Every structure is written in C-alpha cells, then in structure tokens.
Amino acid sequence: LCVDLVGEGGGAVNAKDVVCKVSKKGLKVGVKGRQEMVVDGDLWGEVVQDDAVWSLEEKRYVQVVMDKRKNSWWKSALVGGEEIDTTKVDSTCKLEDYDQGTQAAINKVMFDEHQKRKGLPTSDQLSQQDILRKAWDAEGSPFKGQPFDPSAVNFGGGNGLSDMPGFPG
C-alpha cells in the first residue's frame, strides 16, 4: 500500500515524523503534528502485524508492506475503499509457489483423482492395504505365512475386505 503524505502543495516529510501504526485489522498513516491521519481505517482482512514494515520514499510516499493472515483476494485494501471485482483476477499459481505442505496436499488430491478415474485405489486406500499387508504377516497373525488375500478378512459383517473401496475382490 502506498500513501502520499504530502498531497498538493505540501512540503517534504522526514522519516522521523511519519506515524505508521498497523494493527491486526487496521492501519493509520500520517505525519506528526498534523490534525488528521492521511489513512485511518479498517483493513479488508487480517494481517500479521508484527511482520508489517514501512519505508519513506522521495520524502513523500510511505510504502507499507503487510502479510495477510489468510492468502485470499481482498476487494479493497481498506473497508470503504475503491473495490475491485475479485472474480476477474487471475489467481492461478504455479505449484512451486506454494509451501511444501500445500504442495503435498495438492499432489495427493491430483493422484487420488487420477486413481479414481482409472478405478484404482486412492492414496488412503493404498495406505490401508499396506497396513493390512504388514499385519497379515505379523507375529501372532492367523494369516502369517499365507498369501495375502484381503477378501479373507470380514470387517463388520460384510463379505470381507472386498466390500471396501480400493480392495480387490
């Protein structure tokens, strides 16, 4: 957000005279000794106030940089400000623009959708099969030493694991 502190006919401003207060949902920008703040309002959403920084450029403009608490499009920086139509904003991002956790979640969803289209088990179903396969040959298992056959196990009165999606039967 860039704020013009000088306006028409005003003089240069020194950084020590700048007032910039960022709260979780609000912003105040002005010059010490002046009656009114140039900006005094509520932000469209929440920001991480401890990470906000400002700089004075050309002894006139205050550049305020704030990180949004949620990564979303705001209709305006300030409530009551000029709004944009957020449905017309190109909000496409490259996969590598996201953090690792988000990338992993996106990859999982894409894999699962691909598997479903092919009639194959999803990642969760594959994980369940892997757990069952390990338990199949575990010490004390009645199935130890037998070929893995999930349809031989009956969970909850059905006809075996083949009643569960992702298990062959």
Side-chain angles (χ1 to χ4, degrees):
L1 181 67
C2 187
V3 179
D4 184 354
L5 293 178
V6 176
E8 291 184 30
V13 176
N14 291 315
K16 65 180 179 162
D17 295 324
V18 173
V19 176
C20 184
K21 295 182 180 179
V22 179
S23 66
K24 188 167 58 170
K25 285 206 53 133
L27 176 66
K28 292 183 181 189
V29 180
V31 179
K32 287 180 189 171
R34 292 199 185 157
Q35 277 299 94
E36 294 184 25
M37 292 285 177
V38 178
V39 172
D40 186 0
D42 293 327
L43 295 168
W44 192 265
E46 290 186 13
V47 297
V48 183
Q49 71 185 79
D50 293 337
D51 292 345
V53 293
W54 64 269
S55 62
L56 180 64
E57 299 172 12
E58 300 176 25
K59 294 191 173 230
R60 175 181 188 142
Y61 303 102
V62 171
Q63 183 76 31
V64 184
V65 179
M66 301 168 280
D67 288 332
K68 297 177 190 172
R69 196 160 291 281
K70 289 184 180 177
N71 190 16
S72 63
W73 287 104
W74 292 359
K75 292 184 179 188
S76 174
L78 297 169
V79 174
E82 185 178 339
E83 293 185 10
I84 63 168
D85 183 354
T86 57
T87 62
K88 294 183 179 178
V89 176
D90 178 13
S91 59
T92 57
C93 290
K94 296 177 187 170
L95 184 60
E96 53 271 2
D97 290 343
Y98 294 104
D99 62 75
Q100 287 181 332
T102 303
Q103 286 183 34
I106 291 170
N107 282 328
K108 180 181 184 293
V109 168
M110 289 172 47
F111 174 81
D112 288 347
E113 287 302 313
H114 179 75
Q115 291 291 93
K116 285 178 187 176
R117 278 195 303 274
K118 293 173 104 181
L120 298 171
T122 65
S123 55
D124 289 338
Q125 292 165 339
L126 288 170
S127 178
Q128 291 168 356
Q129 283 183 7
D130 189 48
I131 292 168
L132 183 59
R133 183 173 274 117
K134 288 177 183 171
W136 190 272
D137 279 324
E139 197 60 44
S141 168
F143 304 106
K144 186 173 174 94
Q146 297 178 29
F148 181 65
D149 179 13
S151 64
V153 181
N154 185 341
F155 289 106
N159 293 326
L161 285 181
S162 60
D163 291 338
M164 297 178 64
F167 286 96

PDB file of all heavy atoms in Angstrom, residues 38-57:
ATOM      1  N   VAL A  38      -3.609  10.627   7.307  1.00  0.00           N
ATOM      2  CA  VAL A  38      -3.885  10.521   5.876  1.00  0.00           C
ATOM      3  C   VAL A  38      -4.704   9.251   5.624  1.00  0.00           C
ATOM      4  O   VAL A  38      -5.613   9.238   4.815  1.00  0.00           O
ATOM      5  CB  VAL A  38      -2.569  10.503   5.063  1.00  0.00           C
ATOM      6  CG1 VAL A  38      -2.835  10.343   3.582  1.00  0.00           C
ATOM      7  CG2 VAL A  38      -1.770  11.788   5.329  1.00  0.00           C
ATOM      8  N   VAL A  39      -4.348   8.175   6.334  1.00  0.00           N
ATOM      9  CA  VAL A  39      -5.105   6.929   6.280  1.00  0.00           C
ATOM     10  C   VAL A  39      -5.458   6.548   7.705  1.00  0.00           C
ATOM     11  O   VAL A  39      -4.590   6.537   8.584  1.00  0.00           O
ATOM     12  CB  VAL A  39      -4.283   5.783   5.630  1.00  0.00           C
ATOM     13  CG1 VAL A  39      -5.023   4.461   5.756  1.00  0.00           C
ATOM     14  CG2 VAL A  39      -3.984   6.090   4.177  1.00  0.00           C
ATOM     15  N   ASP A  40      -6.718   6.245   7.954  1.00  0.00           N
ATOM     16  CA  ASP A  40      -7.172   5.797   9.267  1.00  0.00           C
ATOM     17  C   ASP A  40      -8.407   4.927   9.038  1.00  0.00           C
ATOM     18  O   ASP A  40      -9.510   5.437   8.883  1.00  0.00           O
ATOM     19  CB  ASP A  40      -7.507   6.978  10.164  1.00  0.00           C
ATOM     20  CG  ASP A  40      -7.846   6.555  11.590  1.00  0.00           C
ATOM     21  OD1 ASP A  40      -7.825   5.330  11.875  1.00  0.00           O
ATOM     22  OD2 ASP A  40      -8.117   7.444  12.422  1.00  0.00           O
ATOM     23  N   GLY A  41      -8.172   3.600   8.934  1.00  0.00           N
ATOM     24  CA  GLY A  41      -9.308   2.758   8.639  1.00  0.00           C
ATOM     25  C   GLY A  41      -9.075   1.290   8.922  1.00  0.00           C
ATOM     26  O   GLY A  41      -7.989   0.877   9.327  1.00  0.00           O
ATOM     27  N   ASP A  42     -10.123   0.530   8.686  1.00  0.00           N
ATOM     28  CA  ASP A  42     -10.079  -0.916   8.880  1.00  0.00           C
ATOM     29  C   ASP A  42      -9.589  -1.587   7.603  1.00  0.00           C
ATOM     30  O   ASP A  42     -10.016  -1.228   6.502  1.00  0.00           O
ATOM     31  CB  ASP A  42     -11.468  -1.459   9.225  1.00  0.00           C
ATOM     32  CG  ASP A  42     -11.962  -0.976  10.578  1.00  0.00           C
ATOM     33  OD1 ASP A  42     -11.118  -0.789  11.474  1.00  0.00           O
ATOM     34  OD2 ASP A  42     -13.185  -0.786  10.729  1.00  0.00           O
ATOM     35  N   LEU A  43      -8.714  -2.569   7.760  1.00  0.00           N
ATOM     36  CA  LEU A  43      -8.255  -3.365   6.631  1.00  0.00           C
ATOM     37  C   LEU A  43      -9.353  -4.326   6.224  1.00  0.00           C
ATOM     38  O   LEU A  43     -10.187  -4.722   7.047  1.00  0.00           O
ATOM     39  CB  LEU A  43      -6.983  -4.132   7.009  1.00  0.00           C
ATOM     40  CG  LEU A  43      -5.760  -3.264   7.316  1.00  0.00           C
ATOM     41  CD1 LEU A  43      -4.674  -4.113   7.962  1.00  0.00           C
ATOM     42  CD2 LEU A  43      -5.249  -2.601   6.057  1.00  0.00           C
ATOM     43  N   TRP A  44      -9.346  -4.738   4.966  1.00  0.00           N
ATOM     44  CA  TRP A  44     -10.369  -5.654   4.455  1.00  0.00           C
ATOM     45  C   TRP A  44     -10.319  -7.000   5.174  1.00  0.00           C
ATOM     46  O   TRP A  44     -11.327  -7.653   5.362  1.00  0.00           O
ATOM     47  CB  TRP A  44     -10.193  -5.852   2.956  1.00  0.00           C
ATOM     48  CG  TRP A  44     -11.380  -6.540   2.354  1.00  0.00           C
ATOM     49  CD1 TRP A  44     -11.513  -7.876   2.116  1.00  0.00           C
ATOM     50  CD2 TRP A  44     -12.607  -5.946   1.966  1.00  0.00           C
ATOM     51  NE1 TRP A  44     -12.741  -8.141   1.597  1.00  0.00           N
ATOM     52  CE2 TRP A  44     -13.451  -6.976   1.490  1.00  0.00           C
ATOM     53  CE3 TRP A  44     -13.091  -4.649   1.966  1.00  0.00           C
ATOM     54  CZ2 TRP A  44     -14.728  -6.743   1.015  1.00  0.00           C
ATOM     55  CZ3 TRP A  44     -14.365  -4.423   1.491  1.00  0.00           C
ATOM     56  CH2 TRP A  44     -15.167  -5.464   1.030  1.00  0.00           C
ATOM     57  N   GLY A  45      -9.123  -7.417   5.582  1.00  0.00           N
ATOM     58  CA  GLY A  45      -8.948  -8.669   6.307  1.00  0.00           C
ATOM     59  C   GLY A  45      -7.847  -8.494   7.344  1.00  0.00           C
ATOM     60  O   GLY A  45      -7.356  -7.389   7.570  1.00  0.00           O
ATOM     61  N   GLU A  46      -7.454  -9.592   7.963  1.00  0.00           N
ATOM     62  CA  GLU A  46      -6.418  -9.523   8.996  1.00  0.00           C
ATOM     63  C   GLU A  46      -5.024  -9.651   8.397  1.00  0.00           C
ATOM     64  O   GLU A  46      -4.827 -10.338   7.398  1.00  0.00           O
ATOM     65  CB  GLU A  46      -6.617 -10.646  10.028  1.00  0.00           C
ATOM     66  CG  GLU A  46      -7.827 -10.451  10.895  1.00  0.00           C
ATOM     67  CD  GLU A  46      -7.933 -11.488  12.003  1.00  0.00           C
ATOM     68  OE1 GLU A  46      -6.950 -12.211  12.267  1.00  0.00           O
ATOM     69  OE2 GLU A  46      -9.006 -11.564  12.611  1.00  0.00           O
ATOM     70  N   VAL A  47      -4.061  -8.965   9.062  1.00  0.00           N
ATOM     71  CA  VAL A  47      -2.656  -9.055   8.667  1.00  0.00           C
ATOM     72  C   VAL A  47      -1.824  -9.510   9.860  1.00  0.00           C
ATOM     73  O   VAL A  47      -2.275  -9.460  11.009  1.00  0.00           O
ATOM     74  CB  VAL A  47      -2.114  -7.696   8.146  1.00  0.00           C
ATOM     75  CG1 VAL A  47      -2.838  -7.264   6.891  1.00  0.00           C
ATOM     76  CG2 VAL A  47      -2.182  -6.615   9.215  1.00  0.00           C
ATOM     77  N   VAL A  48      -0.600  -9.935   9.573  1.00  0.00           N
ATOM     78  CA  VAL A  48       0.345 -10.300  10.630  1.00  0.00           C
ATOM     79  C   VAL A  48       1.052  -9.005  11.020  1.00  0.00           C
ATOM     80  O   VAL A  48       2.014  -8.598  10.376  1.00  0.00           O
ATOM     81  CB  VAL A  48       1.345 -11.361  10.140  1.00  0.00           C
ATOM     82  CG1 VAL A  48       2.278 -11.783  11.266  1.00  0.00           C
ATOM     83  CG2 VAL A  48       0.630 -12.561   9.542  1.00  0.00           C
ATOM     84  N   GLN A  49       0.559  -8.360  12.058  1.00  0.00           N
ATOM     85  CA  GLN A  49       1.029  -7.015  12.375  1.00  0.00           C
ATOM     86  C   GLN A  49       2.506  -6.964  12.743  1.00  0.00           C
ATOM     87  O   GLN A  49       3.179  -5.981  12.446  1.00  0.00           O
ATOM     88  CB  GLN A  49       0.170  -6.373  13.462  1.00  0.00           C
ATOM     89  CG  GLN A  49       0.330  -6.968  14.853  1.00  0.00           C
ATOM     90  CD  GLN A  49      -0.645  -6.360  15.838  1.00  0.00           C
ATOM     91  OE1 GLN A  49      -1.803  -6.725  15.851  1.00  0.00           O
ATOM     92  NE2 GLN A  49      -0.184  -5.451  16.648  1.00  0.00           N
ATOM     93  N   ASP A  50       3.055  -7.998  13.359  1.00  0.00           N
ATOM     94  CA  ASP A  50       4.469  -7.985  13.748  1.00  0.00           C
ATOM     95  C   ASP A  50       5.407  -8.035  12.551  1.00  0.00           C
ATOM     96  O   ASP A  50       6.575  -7.677  12.661  1.00  0.00           O
ATOM     97  CB  ASP A  50       4.783  -9.151  14.689  1.00  0.00           C
ATOM     98  CG  ASP A  50       4.089  -9.001  16.033  1.00  0.00           C
ATOM     99  OD1 ASP A  50       3.739  -7.861  16.405  1.00  0.00           O
ATOM    100  OD2 ASP A  50       3.886 -10.015  16.716  1.00  0.00           O
ATOM    101  N   ASP A  51       4.909  -8.464  11.392  1.00  0.00           N
ATOM    102  CA  ASP A  51       5.735  -8.561  10.187  1.00  0.00           C
ATOM    103  C   ASP A  51       5.595  -7.342   9.279  1.00  0.00           C
ATOM    104  O   ASP A  51       6.260  -7.258   8.252  1.00  0.00           O
ATOM    105  CB  ASP A  51       5.375  -9.820   9.389  1.00  0.00           C
ATOM    106  CG  ASP A  51       5.758 -11.098  10.109  1.00  0.00           C
ATOM    107  OD1 ASP A  51       6.546 -11.023  11.070  1.00  0.00           O
ATOM    108  OD2 ASP A  51       5.266 -12.170   9.713  1.00  0.00           O
ATOM    109  N   ALA A  52       4.724  -6.406   9.625  1.00  0.00           N
ATOM    110  CA  ALA A  52       4.495  -5.229   8.783  1.00  0.00           C
ATOM    111  C   ALA A  52       5.694  -4.278   8.860  1.00  0.00           C
ATOM    112  O   ALA A  52       6.272  -4.070   9.924  1.00  0.00           O
ATOM    113  CB  ALA A  52       3.231  -4.508   9.227  1.00  0.00           C
ATOM    114  N   VAL A  53       6.059  -3.725   7.708  1.00  0.00           N
ATOM    115  CA  VAL A  53       7.154  -2.741   7.632  1.00  0.00           C
ATOM    116  C   VAL A  53       6.714  -1.591   6.732  1.00  0.00           C
ATOM    117  O   VAL A  53       5.845  -1.749   5.877  1.00  0.00           O
ATOM    118  CB  VAL A  53       8.460  -3.361   7.079  1.00  0.00           C
ATOM    119  CG1 VAL A  53       9.026  -4.380   8.046  1.00  0.00           C
ATOM    120  CG2 VAL A  53       8.255  -3.972   5.714  1.00  0.00           C
ATOM    121  N   TRP A  54       7.328  -0.440   6.947  1.00  0.00           N
ATOM    122  CA  TRP A  54       7.055   0.703   6.082  1.00  0.00           C
ATOM    123  C   TRP A  54       8.359   1.394   5.742  1.00  0.00           C
ATOM    124  O   TRP A  54       9.359   1.260   6.446  1.00  0.00           O
ATOM    125  CB  TRP A  54       6.058   1.675   6.719  1.00  0.00           C
ATOM    126  CG  TRP A  54       6.546   2.341   7.982  1.00  0.00           C
ATOM    127  CD1 TRP A  54       6.373   1.894   9.254  1.00  0.00           C
ATOM    128  CD2 TRP A  54       7.292   3.554   8.071  1.00  0.00           C
ATOM    129  NE1 TRP A  54       6.963   2.747  10.152  1.00  0.00           N
ATOM    130  CE2 TRP A  54       7.536   3.790   9.435  1.00  0.00           C
ATOM    131  CE3 TRP A  54       7.780   4.466   7.138  1.00  0.00           C
ATOM    132  CZ2 TRP A  54       8.245   4.902   9.888  1.00  0.00           C
ATOM    133  CZ3 TRP A  54       8.495   5.578   7.594  1.00  0.00           C
ATOM    134  CH2 TRP A  54       8.712   5.783   8.961  1.00  0.00           C
ATOM    135  N   SER A  55       8.336   2.129   4.646  1.00  0.00           N
ATOM    136  CA  SER A  55       9.502   2.921   4.254  1.00  0.00           C
ATOM    137  C   SER A  55       9.007   4.226   3.643  1.00  0.00           C
ATOM    138  O   SER A  55       7.909   4.291   3.084  1.00  0.00           O
ATOM    139  CB  SER A  55      10.378   2.156   3.259  1.00  0.00           C
ATOM    140  OG  SER A  55       9.670   1.895   2.074  1.00  0.00           O
ATOM    141  N   LEU A  56       9.841   5.270   3.758  1.00  0.00           N
ATOM    142  CA  LEU A  56       9.519   6.571   3.183  1.00  0.00           C
ATOM    143  C   LEU A  56      10.313   6.720   1.894  1.00  0.00           C
ATOM    144  O   LEU A  56      11.529   6.536   1.888  1.00  0.00           O
ATOM    145  CB  LEU A  56       9.877   7.696   4.165  1.00  0.00           C
ATOM    146  CG  LEU A  56       9.594   9.117   3.692  1.00  0.00           C
ATOM    147  CD1 LEU A  56       8.094   9.328   3.488  1.00  0.00           C
ATOM    148  CD2 LEU A  56      10.145  10.127   4.688  1.00  0.00           C
ATOM    149  N   GLU A  57       9.616   7.033   0.817  1.00  0.00           N
ATOM    150  CA  GLU A  57      10.263   7.169  -0.483  1.00  0.00           C
ATOM    151  C   GLU A  57      10.068   8.589  -1.005  1.00  0.00           C
ATOM    152  O   GLU A  57       8.969   9.131  -0.932  1.00  0.00           O
ATOM    153  CB  GLU A  57       9.694   6.145  -1.460  1.00  0.00           C
ATOM    154  CG  GLU A  57       9.938   4.720  -0.991  1.00  0.00           C
ATOM    155  CD  GLU A  57       9.222   3.682  -1.831  1.00  0.00           C
ATOM    156  OE1 GLU A  57       8.720   4.029  -2.920  1.00  0.00           O
ATOM    157  OE2 GLU A  57       9.164   2.534  -1.393  1.00  0.00           O
TER     158      GLU A  57
END
